[in-house]
Amino acid sequence: MFNRLTVFGRSSAQFILASITLAALTLASLYIHSPFAATALVYLVVILLFSLSGNFIASLALSTVAVGALVYVLTPPMFSPQIDDPHELLVIIAFLTASIVGTRLIAKLRYEKEAAREVAAELRHSAADLRKREKLWREIFEHNPAMYFMVDKAGTVLNVNSFGATQLGYTPAELIGQSVFRVFLKDDREVVRKSIERCLTYIGQSRTWDIQKVRRNGSVLWVRENAKAILWADDKPIVLFACEDITEQRRTVLALQRSEAHLAQAQELSHTGSFGWNVATGEVFWSKESFRIFQYDPETKVTAQHVIDRTHPDDKASVQATLKRALRGEDFEHEYRLLMPDGSIKYIHAVARATRTASGHIEFVGAATDVTTAKQTEQQLRRSEAYLADAQRLSRTSTWSWDCNRRCFAYRSAEVSRLFGFDPDEPVTLEAIRSRIHPDDLLRQQEIQRQAIEQKTGNLEYDFRICLPEGAIRHIHAVAHVVLASDGSTVELVGTHMDVTEQHAAKQQLEDTLAALRESEQRFRDYAETASDWLWETGPDHRYTLSEHTNATGRLARAVIGLRCWEIASDVEEEREKWRQHELTLNAHLPFRDLIYRTVGRTGSPIYFQSSGKPLFDVGGRFLGYRGVATDITAKVRADQAEQGLRKAQADLAHVTRLTALGELTASIAHEVNQPLTAIISNADACLGWLRREAPDISAVHRSVEWIIDDAMRASEVIRRVRTLAKKGDIEMAALDINEVVNESIALVTRELINHQVTLRTELAPSLPKILGDRVQLQQVIINLVMNGVEAMQTVDDRARELIVQSSRDNEGRVQLSVTDSGVGIAEDDRIRILDPFFTTKSTGLGMGLSICRSIVEAHGGRLSIVHKQEPGASFQFALPVVS
């Protein structure tokens, strides 16, 4: 309403102004007597100008006023208004028509202009609003904490927001126009391609999936993709991706899964199952490990009765009592046994704590641990402690623990007193023990222990001597370990004392030999490390045409060019047959391998080569010569020579051992010889008696002489066997019947078996194939094993002392021999060292017997081993290859 009044007021003012203007123009026309048509034209211009700013009605009213003014100009008031000239009437009609049409057209133009102005204003407002909305949505698109991608059907990135590009380590410009597949793992790109195809197939439908994206630096993040295809400009389909970063969520889920897996694995490894028990509802929760421990199906709805049903009958009362206390809300810790369906027994340690739920009910949370292994270990430990005491006494090894704070022994085994020559049942002071240590070793021993305690070192080893009252000297090897407290201070020194007197003596005897062997071994190792190979070629005349050394061999490469192989060899005269055969091979154009020959180096020392070659022929089959390689095997040959020396030393040691054994078997050998000698004397006396008769009984004399011959052969056979074992000679490898070797060996120890009340049982398989070996050395092995078994049964009085010697064939077709006793057996810790040199479980001896036996067996291509057996005693066996 206000706008209308405003428009009406403005139109009225303009109408009044225009009317005044027409009046002024009328007066001016009358004054200057202007023509009628000119006055009408001026009026028309004023009306049209007025219509440009006024409305149509005002302009129409002004036109009416103008017509009145024109009539006034033609006929002033003193005359009666009339128009006589038709031409003037036409002017007035034309004026009125022109003014009406003109003002109408101008009003229409003004209206259309105003409408256009309003439309333009609305368009400007809409454009500004659109720009504002576009800016707002672009800010939302750019800075929304989600990754947005716009891709075409080929996977090309059309647009990407800054947040999404930044999350991947790019700028938007680096991604736009590129393939979207580059930000996915190679293994996932096909999945993304198919997902885009499905979105394009079902336009407008959203699809969601989880996948990994690759940042620019190569790191990976998990995202949740929400994709939808829409129609864009020109109805081209595009796919919009909204990606939510779920890396932390996935990490949390994975961490939770890992924690659950770790908990399950920890329970499985520790054999501990967790449980929950709501006393009011009776509901019981078991972990997977609990079901495994109690051997129930995981689908079973568990109650407290299931625990009672599995409980051992002797423990059910205590378990039920524990459950009654739990019903009163008391925490419990209980150990009991389970009787499993297969009859086995498990030991269970259960502990639980009571809590109250929000509703006030009592609920228990606890754990049940399978401690069967610990119980069994505890029982085995008690047995091991008893075995350890026996083992220490037999091996003459003691254990001790020194308290560094109180400066006294915290523990001392009984063997400590025995080693120092004291009665284990009587108390011994520290001063008395120190008084038995050799004066030259006491200060050094104390200094070593002091430094170990102060420096907090780990293990320490030292040797010292004990001076016994009767003047004997014992050599002791000590091994100790420093024990540290939680604050790093030294609290204990734990160690062992081992009597190595016998090993020390044996070691001293072999040190010189071993030093020489080590020197020889090092010399030959140096030769081996500097050995070299060389390549060679010969022509049809077998003369060297090429000689390429890969290293220095003592002979220049060019020195052999033009020579034949036998012209550089220095063993042609010694081995004529070898070179004759080699020359025949070359002339026959046949390949050869491993020809070993000797030559002389620049220093004059012999060099050994091992050569192999093959003939060369051209396309037409014409012989061109030989091509091959030669290896300097000087070090190997010398090493073989050194090994033969070592074998000789081993044979000498074996010979000494056989002589020692013969010394121990002197009584048995004497008995075996005396028996036939006594029989010879008796038969000779009888023979004389038959001859002194008046009528000599020739047939009886003949029988007596035959008996004398048989007994003499028996005595001779015993002496031959002893001489064979006693003599020192080279190894004589021959085809042997192992059963014969066994019977010959047993004949020498029969008396020892009788003296020690040992029953010998032989189980020798018939028709065994022959083996290749040295009869004397194999007899030594058998006698040593038999005597070891006899000694192992000396203390046995609760069972029969039986020794079994068995021969058979093993699974590989070799001949196998075993010697089994029913003695004290071998401690498990000693099994791995029983065959080592200088290791012995006897109170006396060098510890070389079994080591020599092993060396002899290995030299025969076999292996000496200890057989695990359930019954008391020990069993040694070895297998030897048969003669092919």
Side-chain angles (χ1 to χ4, degrees), residues 622-697:
R622 185 170 60 91
F623 175 67
L624 301 178
Y626 273 85
R627 177 182 296 159
V629 61
T631 303
D632 185 352
I633 61 170
T634 305
K636 180 178 181 299
V637 171
R638 292 177 179 173
D640 291 341
Q641 294 171 352
E643 184 178 358
Q644 292 175 2
L646 178 60
R647 290 186 180 276
K648 185 176 182 303
Q650 290 178 337
D652 291 342
L653 183 59
H655 179 246
V656 172
T657 306
R658 289 201 301 274
L659 292 179
T660 303
L662 287 176
E664 295 175 354
L665 297 175
T666 301
S668 294
I669 295 171
H671 177 77
E672 291 295 325
V673 174
N674 284 333
Q675 273 189 334
L677 291 178
T678 302
I680 289 172
I681 294 172
S682 298
N683 289 327
D685 288 341
C687 183
L688 291 175
W690 295 117
L691 290 173
R692 290 193 185 106
R693 288 189 176 186
E694 295 180 0
D697 190 344

Side-chain angles (χ1 to χ4, degrees), residues 563-577:
L563 299 177
R564 296 185 178 92
C565 180
W566 50 85
E567 293 175 353
I568 66 173
S570 60
D571 60 352
V572 177
E573 294 298 328
E574 301 174 15
E575 302 184 60
R576 291 181 178 274
E577 181 60 24

Side-chain angles (χ1 to χ4, degrees), residues 427-442:
V428 182
T429 63
L430 177 61
E431 289 72 16
I433 291 178
R434 286 179 174 174
S435 65
R436 296 285 174 91
I437 299 177
H438 195 285
D440 296 341
D441 298 340
L442 179 59

Side-chain angles (χ1 to χ4, degrees), residues 100-373:
I100 293 173
V101 172
T103 56
R104 180 62 182 170
L105 291 175
I106 290 174
K108 185 176 180 181
L109 289 174
R110 285 184 59 199
Y111 175 77
E112 291 179 353
K113 182 179 180 181
E114 289 294 333
R117 186 181 294 112
E118 290 179 359
V119 170
E122 289 180 359
L123 289 175
R124 286 195 298 273
H125 180 73
S126 298
D129 186 58
L130 183 61
R131 286 193 296 273
K132 183 177 179 181
R133 290 175 179 272
E134 181 182 3
K135 180 179 180 181
L136 176 62
W137 282 110
R138 183 169 293 279
E139 289 180 355
I140 295 174
F141 178 79
E142 289 291 328
H143 303 294
N144 192 295
M147 290 179 277
Y148 290 102
F149 282 83
M150 181 186 299
V151 302
D152 61 13
K153 61 181 180 180
T156 303
V157 178
L158 302 176
N159 201 356
V160 59
N161 66 337
S162 298
F163 178 82
T166 303
Q167 282 290 93
L168 297 176
Y170 298 93
T171 63
E174 291 175 327
L175 291 177
I176 294 175
Q178 301 296 322
S179 174
V180 75
F181 299 114
R182 65 183 292 188
V183 299
F184 292 95
L185 295 174
K186 291 183 178 180
D187 296 340
D188 294 341
R189 291 175 183 176
E190 187 60 28
V191 176
V192 176
R193 190 187 309 277
K194 291 182 179 179
S195 299
I196 292 176
E197 291 176 356
R198 284 194 290 269
C199 289
L200 293 172
T201 303
Y202 303 98
I203 294 178
Q205 293 185 7
S206 297
R207 300 185 63 84
T208 302
W209 66 88
D210 294 347
I211 202 167
Q212 297 181 85
K213 283 190 173 181
V214 183
R215 294 189 177 97
R216 187 172 192 168
N217 60 7
S219 60
V220 177
L221 73 157
W222 276 94
V223 297
R224 178 161 293 155
E225 301 265 17
N226 193 320
K228 181 170 69 173
I230 61 174
L231 296 177
W232 200 243
D234 299 332
D235 290 337
K236 291 183 179 180
I238 63 169
V239 180
L240 296 177
F241 288 90
C243 311
E244 177 188 358
D245 187 352
I246 60 171
T247 304
E248 291 301 324
Q249 178 182 346
R250 291 285 298 197
R251 287 176 180 170
T252 303
V253 171
L254 291 175
L256 180 60
Q257 292 174 349
R258 281 198 301 270
S259 297
E260 293 176 349
H262 291 166
L263 177 60
Q265 291 178 358
Q267 289 193 0
E268 182 177 352
L269 292 174
S270 63
H271 303 292
T272 301
S274 57
F275 64 87
W277 178 30
N278 190 310
V279 176
T281 63
E283 184 180 6
V284 176
F285 166 78
W286 274 5
S287 67
K288 181 180 179 181
E289 186 63 16
S290 295
F291 282 102
R292 193 197 64 78
I293 291 174
F294 284 84
Q295 293 185 11
Y296 279 116
D297 189 336
E299 302 298 328
T300 305
K301 185 174 179 58
V302 183
T303 63
Q305 185 61 38
H306 286 84
V307 177
I308 298 175
D309 292 343
R310 279 283 191 268
T311 302
H312 193 282
D314 296 341
D315 294 343
K316 283 188 177 182
S318 61
V319 170
Q320 290 173 340
T322 300
L323 292 176
K324 289 181 181 179
R325 290 196 303 272
L327 291 173
R328 298 194 296 268
E330 298 179 13
D331 297 344
F332 64 85
E333 183 172 359
H334 187 58
E335 190 169 295
Y336 57 96
R337 292 169 296 173
L338 299 180
L339 181 60
M340 308 313 294
D342 60 359
S344 62
I345 294 194
K346 288 185 179 180
Y347 290 85
I348 303 298
H349 180 81
V351 59
R353 297 291 178 264
T355 59
R356 288 199 176 271
T357 63
S359 58
H361 295 157
I362 297 174
E363 189 172 77
F364 282 91
V365 176
T369 304
D370 184 353
V371 295
T372 305
T373 303

Side-chain angles (χ1 to χ4, degrees), residues 541-544 555 559-573 579 582-583 586 595 597-600:
D541 57 353
H542 307 313
R543 296 183 182 274
Y544 286 110
R555 176 180 287 269
V560 301
I561 300 297
L563 299 177
R564 296 185 178 92
C565 180
W566 50 85
E567 293 175 353
I568 66 173
S570 60
D571 60 352
V572 177
E573 294 298 328
W579 287 106
H582 179 61
E583 189 173 359
L586 295 181
L595 171 67
Y597 62 93
R598 186 179 73 245
T599 184
V600 179

Side-chain angles (χ1 to χ4, degrees), residues 391-423:
Q392 287 189 1
R393 181 175 56 82
L394 294 173
S395 64
R396 307 188 68 171
T397 301
S398 65
T399 56
W400 49 269
S401 173
W402 176 260
D403 191 324
C404 299
N405 296 322
R406 295 187 299 164
R407 300 185 62 80
C408 64
F409 282 108
Y411 166 75
R412 210 168 49 186
S413 67
E415 194 60 25
V416 173
S417 298
R418 291 192 183 95
L419 288 180
F420 282 85
F422 296 107
D423 187 347

